[in-house]
Amino acid sequence: MDPRDRLIVALDLPSVQAAEAMIEKLGDAVSFYKIGYQLAFAGGLPLADALVRANKQVFVDLKLHDIGNTVGKGVESVAKLGATFLTVHAYPQTMQAAADARAGSKLKILAVTVLTSYDNADLSAAGYDFNVTGLVAKRAAQARDIGIDGLVCSAEEAAAVRAIAGSAMALVTPGIRPAGAAAGDQKRVMTPAKAIAAGADYLVVGRPIVEAPDPRAAAQAIVAEIAQATGP
Ligand code: C5P
């Protein structure tokens, strides 16, 4: 795989105009974009279609979780946008509905194991009787058994998750921070090279690129680090 295609830039920006300006700045340095809550709910979903027509790949990160029928209908609509990835929370009913609904389309479903801003204390506060490692492992095994295409997990967990998921599932890791970058609210972070070495297939990077003084240079530096880590 081209190292550039392993970098997914999170368009966590307030408007379509700001997103379009960022896409323009990044140019051919970036081939894969993630549209999440902030941009999607500010009119950004039609941008997915425009990106697909411009030969970019799109990750719709809306982390679906609802009754199966509603999840399935939502997945069918996202498949029609031409997106490559869509996230759902890793609850068995939700994952099953999403897996069934994406059949026959090019859309791949990613299950979110445990959000990378969560640590053990946050899980306990949310009422879970599991630590992060235990819950990630349980959900990864359930996603594999249901036939989900990939998992979102922290790079710290990637090696353990790979052992459960096998080689066929794509591992997508946010919480990536080049050396020296601010962690922000992420509690489990890793550098791009270390994340690849740990078994990540795709890296999701937001603030270290979109808030950089020179976003294109920041993206190119990360792609170079990925290229070095993946080898020729
Ligand atoms: O700015 P930063 O690089 O922290 O952005 C990470 C992106 O990855 C955000 O869009 C966030 O919603 C997303 N994400 C995450 N943790 C997950 C799943 C998605 O940080 N488990």
Side-chain angles (χ1 to χ4, degrees), residues 187-214:
K187 290 185 176 162
R188 293 174 283 137
V189 299
M190 212 181 256
T191 65
K194 284 192 177 144
I196 294 288
D201 297 300
Y202 298 89
L203 309 184
V204 175
V205 185
R207 289 163 287 184
I209 291 176
V210 302
E211 291 180 3
D214 184 344

Side-chain angles (χ1 to χ4, degrees), residues 10 12 34 61 63 115-116 152 174 177 186 204-208:
D12 294 333
K34 183 169 89 69
D61 188 17
K63 300 187 177 70
L115 295 169
T116 48
V152 180
R177 291 293 178 269
Q186 299 283 18
V204 175
V205 185
R207 289 163 287 184

